[in-house]
Amino acid sequence: MMKQLMAKHDDTPLHLAARARNLTVVSQILERASEGELREILVKQNQAGETPLFIAAEYGYVDVLVELLKYYDVSSASVKAKNGYDALLVAAKQGDIEVLKELMKAFPELSMTADPRNTTALHIAAMQGHTEVANLLLEARENLANIPKNNGKTALHFAARNGHLEVVKALLSKKASLVTRTDKKGQTALHMAVKGQNLELVVEMIKCEPLLINLVDKRGNTALHIATRKGRAQIVKKLLDLNETNTRAINRSGETALDTAEKIGNPKITRILTAHGVLSAQSIQPARAAAARKLARTASDIKHDVHTRLAHARSTRKRVRADKLHAEGLNNAINSTTVVAVLISTVAFSAIFAFPGHNSENPGTPFLIFFVFDSVALFISLAVVVVQTSVVVVERAAKERVMAVMNKLMWVACVLVTVAFLAMSFVVAGEDERALAVAVTVMGTMIMAATLGTMCYWVLKHRVEVSRRLSGLGGSSIRLSRSFSMSGLSDTEMWNGKYKNMYAI
């Protein structure tokens, strides 16, 4: 079939001349080109990857092709276009016997060329039903019939699938053993033939090798199974008329041909099979069918159990990791509290003996406030240090409760130290700089109030969240602690699988 002449991007003058079948221009270009230029223009490809030789072969211009072949060698003639075809493959697709003869006369080696999927010219001829091309190729190289594509299919598979009887006969006349060759699915050419509608071709293949009729593919399907699934009523009837056909064959899905027909819902073929006495798998092997169903259920149960166990294992690993992180955070908080308590007690102790005017007979109210608050802060801090260094708590909940109490004591100590410092500022500043002491007092009060207020907010917010989660799960609400403690991760958070990255104690 002649293609419409169409210039393509990156066409050279030689491309254009070959496409226009202008033999005179083609000859002039080739004759005038130097040796270096000649090699370049012969293998030059346009945007589609076509060489001038490819174009001449595709359009069937034998005269142009013959002229070009005078200058080509095997290597340059084998250059493939972007579709994976070279000049010989495209001529085989077009079924142009004259072009093929010239190409093979010039370079017999081209008959073995193939595209990236290992499709040879014989495969293409078998697909297209070009009997003359197939015969020409087989006469040149008989072993072409043995070459499979990447999927394992030979030329016979393709000829059988597309119903090309004459090509099948040509192939079998050269290589009768091809009839038993299987592809990667385990299917023979007969399996492919029953997918089509050429009854004569099916009969021809069975005549060549009667045992083919009961050969199974990797899924256990015979030719009868496949013909049934494809809905080929005439072929099914023909297979059933043959004595060699095994009507009791059961595939790996546990189906006979009758089961397959009922499964796809084809009443016509079901009637044909029933009339010929084909039985279901359950009727042939009831125990086997029951065992297969039981095995399928067992496999399903095992699969479900494995998935459940894996999900549980993932949940457990996540919970253990969260517990570990929580324990580390709690230990860090305990260590930090101890350090702060030591620091406060040291500062409070030193401040009493370094306070200006502490030997005065009339120290005044600011000094008394400082002395009392600083002393209380000192003793609270010392108490925290004694507890933290003397008491060892192992159980997590008890450790959280102890830490919460110690933490609140440190809050109180910090407030007392703050008040003591503010009182001391009035003494140090004196009457002349009283406004400065007042400013320091206001600033310190605001900072401490903001800090303690924020911490109380996070504690209360956490308690409200936990209470809501428990209510959502149908549990009782959680009560607010008198000390506004925060016990880290609750059971609710465990159940929900959500953990806070930060929380207040």
Side-chain angles (χ1 to χ4, degrees):
M1 176 177 170
M2 299 292 289
K3 282 183 145 188
Q4 181 181 0
L5 290 177
M6 232 177 124
K8 298 192 179 181
H9 294 295
D10 298 330
D11 273 348
T12 64
L14 187 59
H15 282 93
L16 296 173
R19 198 185 305 279
R21 200 176 187 176
N22 193 328
L23 183 60
T24 302
V25 174
V26 168
S27 299
Q28 289 176 352
I29 293 173
L30 294 173
E31 290 170 0
R32 294 175 183 176
S34 65
E35 186 175 347
E37 292 174 340
L38 186 62
R39 172 68 182 177
E40 183 179 349
I41 63 175
L42 289 175
V43 298
K44 176 67 175 177
Q45 295 173 282
N46 61 17
Q47 197 173 63
E50 301 167 340
T51 62
L53 184 67
F54 182 97
I55 292 173
E58 185 179 27
Y59 287 108
Y61 298 154
V62 179
D63 50 350
V64 175
L65 182 85
V66 170
E67 182 65 21
L68 288 169
L69 285 173
K70 295 177 183 177
Y71 300 89
Y72 274 88
D73 56 21
V74 176
S75 175
S76 55
S78 302
V79 174
K80 292 178 173 56
K82 289 186 178 180
N83 61 6
Y85 282 16
D86 59 18
L88 185 84
L89 294 178
V90 75
K93 181 180 179 181
Q94 305 287 32
D96 197 323
I97 192 70
E98 295 302 323
V99 170
L100 279 167
K101 285 180 179 178
E102 293 297 334
L103 286 169
M104 292 175 65
K105 178 181 176 182
F107 308 112
E109 304 94 327
L110 284 180
S111 61
M112 298 296 291
T113 189
D115 73 0
R117 291 178 295 180
N118 208 41
T119 306
T120 65
L122 185 59
H123 285 111
I124 296 171
M127 290 182 216
Q128 302 294 329
H130 299 318
T131 308
E132 281 188 273
V133 173
N135 283 324
L136 177 66
L137 293 167
L138 288 170
E139 287 174 7
R141 289 186 184 269
E142 192 174 292
N143 288 334
L144 275 172
N146 291 324
I147 299 176
K149 281 189 63 174
N150 291 346
N151 57 12
K153 288 180 169 57
T154 63
L156 183 62
H157 283 87
F158 290 105
R161 178 64 182 89
N162 292 285
H164 300 312
L165 178 59
E166 294 305 318
V167 177
V168 167
K169 288 181 177 179
L171 289 166
L172 292 178
S173 66
K174 295 291 184 180
K175 289 282 183 178
S177 60
L178 284 175
V179 77
T180 57
R181 283 279 296 273
T182 58
D183 60 16
K184 289 188 176 181
K185 294 181 180 179
Q187 296 184 339
T188 65
L190 181 61
H191 286 103
M192 305 299 291
V194 298
K195 295 178 183 179
Q197 300 183 26
N198 193 328
L199 181 60
E200 187 179 354
L201 190 151
V202 172
V203 173
E204 180 69 25
M205 298 198 71
I206 295 173
K207 283 182 180 178
C208 181
E209 180 52 75
L211 294 178
L212 281 178
I213 198 168
N214 292 319
L215 290 182
V216 298
D217 62 15
K218 290 184 177 180
R219 294 185 178 180
N221 293 310
T222 64
L224 183 60
H225 281 96
I226 293 178
T228 299
R229 188 175 69 244
K230 291 294 183 178
R232 309 306 185 197
Q234 287 186 329
I235 294 176
V236 168
K237 191 174 184 305
K238 183 63 180 178
L239 291 173
L240 291 172
D241 288 339
L242 300 173
N243 295 328
E244 296 88 349
T245 302
N246 180 11
T247 59
R248 300 169 67 87
I250 300 174
N251 63 17
R252 292 192 175 181
S253 298
E255 300 173 354
T256 63
L258 181 61
D259 294 318
T260 301
E262 292 174 346
K263 182 178 178 179
I264 64 174
N266 192 319
K268 181 178 180 181
I269 293 183
T270 300
R271 287 193 297 270
I272 294 173
L273 292 167
T274 304
H276 284 77
V278 180
L279 301 175
S280 65
Q282 190 171 3
S283 300
I284 296 171
Q285 293 180 340
R288 178 179 172 183
R293 287 193 297 271
K294 183 178 180 180
L295 180 62
R297 285 195 299 269
T298 302
S300 177
D301 292 341
I302 292 173
K303 181 180 179 181
H304 176 73
D305 184 58
V306 169
H307 285 172
T308 302
R309 289 178 182 273
L310 287 174
H312 178 70
R314 286 192 293 267
S315 176
T316 301
R317 285 196 298 270
K318 186 176 181 181
R319 186 178 296 109
V320 169
R321 181 174 179 272
D323 285 343
K324 183 179 179 181
L325 291 175
H326 176 258
E328 290 177 356
L330 191 58
N331 290 332
N332 291 336
I334 291 172
N335 295 334
S336 299
T337 302
T338 304
V339 172
V340 172
V342 172
L343 179 62
I344 291 177
S345 61
T346 302
V347 171
F349 181 83
S350 301
I352 290 177
F353 297 100
F355 187 79
H358 65 277
N359 292 323
S360 176
E361 294 180 357
N362 185 20
T365 302
F367 176 78
L368 294 176
I369 293 174
F370 163 77
F371 189 83
V372 172
F373 279 70
D374 190 70
S375 299
V376 175
L378 170 64
F379 295 127
I380 290 176
S381 299
L382 288 175
V384 170
V385 172
V386 170
V387 172
Q388 297 285 54
T389 56
S390 303
V391 179
V392 178
V393 184
V394 178
E395 200 271 323
R396 193 182 76 175
K399 185 184 290 186
E400 288 174 349
R401 287 193 294 271
V402 170
M403 185 58 207
V405 173
M406 296 298 101
N407 185 64
K408 300 311 176 290
L409 288 175
M410 293 310 302
W411 286 20
V412 174
C414 288
V415 172
L416 293 175
V417 170
T418 301
V419 174
F421 174 82
L422 295 177
M424 184 174 63
S425 68
F426 280 89
V427 177
V428 173
E431 293 295 332
D432 296 337
E433 301 294 338
R434 193 174 187 84
L436 180 61
V438 172
V440 170
T441 301
V442 173
M443 181 179 64
T445 302
M446 291 175 62
I447 292 173
M448 290 303 296
T451 302
L452 295 176
T454 302
M455 297 304 296
C456 290
Y457 166 77
W458 283 110
V459 170
L460 291 171
K461 181 180 179 183
H462 173 74
R463 286 299 179 185
V464 171
E465 288 178 357
V466 171
S467 178
R468 286 178 178 174
R469 291 178 186 175
L470 282 176
S471 299
L473 292 172
S476 60
S477 62
I478 190 167
R479 295 175 297 173
L480 290 174
S481 170
R482 291 181 181 179
S483 63
F484 300 105
S485 67
M486 192 169 195
S487 60
L489 294 176
S490 67
D491 288 339
T492 307
E493 289 173 305
M494 285 290 202
W495 298 334
N496 291 341
K498 297 178 181 178
Y499 302 91
K500 288 183 174 295
N501 294 324
M502 179 181 69
Y503 58 89
I505 298 178

